[in-house]
Amino acid sequence: MKRYAYFISDGTGITAETLGNSLLSQFEQINFDCTTLPYIDSEEKALRAVEEINALAGRSGEAVIVFDTIVDKNIRKIIDSANAFKVDIFSAFLAPLEGELAVKSSYTVGKSHSPADSDNYIARIEAVNFALDNDDGARTRHYDDADVILVGVSRCGKTPTSLYMAMQFGIKAANYPLTEEDMHDLRLPDSLSKHKHKLFGLTIDPDRLAAIRNERRANSRYASLKQCYHEVDEVEFLFEREKIPFVSTTDKSIEEISTRIMADTGLKRRLQS
């Protein structure tokens, strides 16, 4: 089965996307073709969105599923006219909360995505800059400031995990690739051993690693299955011997990997939800 879904917002669309995708993911038997329409902040834009949705519904023969976080009542009324099954996220959740809290919500566009001078925003930017500056073993002298240092073989997912933790949690995550030179004596490099309490390991299935490396450097020793098995075996042995917690990234999303690291290390997010 295939169905079409739209995430519509008068802001970035992140809230509609996040909740909408979470709900749709529960229906694994259906293939959803999703489109995000951010900054639908005028009646003209809303009318164009409705035309697009209605045309798609006409071609597919089924109503389009629409998740929206539209605040403006006039714009929301236009979106309501679309040939769609509509999930108004704000009205579904804000109305009951208003009743419980006995306070009217502000219904402010982009309220969940704070401005550039907020503590949340500043913490996020500082964490992202730290992750970028300390990627791939760069600037190990800054490890005193790191909340966590991700270690593992090349291409096991350290960089995207570091950046996700910075963006979502405000965590200052450095990462260090363990190479053949580092593993020669099966010892942690000096730059890591002094920060052992901050280390968290990532590992990966060697077959998957070989496939990833071949996309970057095809038919090389670096990407060979033999080399990948050797590196993964050595690194996992080191993790176990040094009692470094680790997780396999093979069949996990960046979200799962990052949350597992947070849970296993006891790190607390710096950003408010």
Side-chain angles (χ1 to χ4, degrees):
M1 295 179 63
K2 183 174 183 177
R3 292 294 295 270
Y4 294 91
Y6 272 65
F7 308 122
I8 302 177
S9 174
D10 39 20
T12 63
I14 293 173
T15 302
E17 272 187 351
T18 301
L19 184 54
N21 277 318
S22 294
L23 294 172
L24 295 180
S25 68
Q26 303 302 312
F27 302 91
E28 298 177 357
Q29 66 273 34
I30 300 177
N31 176 29
F32 291 101
D33 187 329
C34 300
T35 300
T36 301
L37 298 180
Y39 300 113
I40 304 300
D41 50 10
S42 70
E43 294 183 18
E44 182 181 359
K45 291 179 181 179
L47 288 168
R48 288 202 299 268
V50 169
E51 288 178 5
E52 182 178 327
I53 291 167
N54 287 345
L56 182 56
R59 292 195 301 272
S60 66
E62 293 182 295
V64 175
I65 300 169
V66 171
F67 296 89
D68 88 81
T69 52
I70 299 291
V71 172
D72 185 276
K73 292 181 179 179
N74 292 328
I75 296 175
R76 195 163 68 239
K77 186 175 181 180
I78 293 172
I79 298 297
D80 285 342
S81 69
N83 181 11
F85 175 83
K86 192 163 173 295
V87 181
D88 184 342
I89 294 172
F90 277 173
S91 67
F93 296 104
L94 285 180
L97 277 171
E98 287 176 338
E100 172 62 25
L101 300 173
V103 175
K104 286 291 183 181
S105 67
S106 63
Y107 281 87
T108 303
V109 178
K111 193 70 174 178
S112 61
H113 310 293
S114 45
D117 60 350
S118 72
D119 291 341
N120 256 15
Y121 187 86
I122 293 170
R124 179 181 287 113
I125 293 302
E126 287 180 349
V128 170
N129 284 335
F130 185 89
L132 292 172
D133 288 343
N134 294 275
D135 182 44
D136 217 21
R139 304 189 181 186
T140 57
R141 65 184 183 276
H142 294 160
Y143 283 1
D144 285 339
D145 298 324
D147 297 311
V148 65
I149 304 168
L150 305 183
V151 292
V153 299
S154 172
R155 310 304 287 181
C156 69
K158 299 182 299 300
T159 295
T161 303
S162 297
L163 288 170
Y164 183 88
M165 294 181 73
M167 284 290 295
Q168 296 298 317
F169 306 128
I171 294 298
K172 292 183 177 179
N175 74 80
Y176 187 102
L178 292 168
T179 64
E180 278 191 292
E181 290 75 17
D182 294 321
M183 300 298 296
H184 182 69
D185 297 320
L186 276 181
R187 295 175 54 193
L188 287 172
D190 290 340
S191 58
L192 295 182
S193 60
K194 65 181 71 173
H195 300 288
K196 185 177 173 181
H197 63 290
K198 295 183 179 182
L199 301 184
F200 197 97
L202 300 185
T203 187
I204 188 172
D205 177 77
D207 294 270
R208 175 62 180 153
L209 179 62
I212 294 171
R213 288 184 173 183
N214 266 294
E215 292 178 1
R216 185 183 188 187
R217 203 179 301 169
N219 303 317
S220 63
R221 178 174 176 272
Y222 165 80
S224 70
L225 196 57
K226 180 180 179 181
Q227 181 66 17
C228 291
Y229 267 92
H230 172 70
E231 290 185 30
V232 170
D233 286 345
E234 295 280 270
V235 166
E236 288 187 358
F237 176 80
L238 181 66
F239 290 162
E240 291 170 355
R241 192 189 68 192
E242 298 293 332
K243 294 182 171 54
I244 298 170
F246 67 96
V247 64
S248 173
T249 65
T250 306
D251 55 358
K252 293 180 178 62
S253 66
I254 297 299
E255 294 87 346
E256 291 177 292
I257 298 165
S258 301
T259 304
R260 173 55 60 190
I261 294 171
M262 295 290 288
D264 288 355
T265 60
L267 286 171
K268 302 299 181 185
R269 67 185 300 156
R270 290 200 176 90
L271 305 180
Q272 295 179 4
S273 301

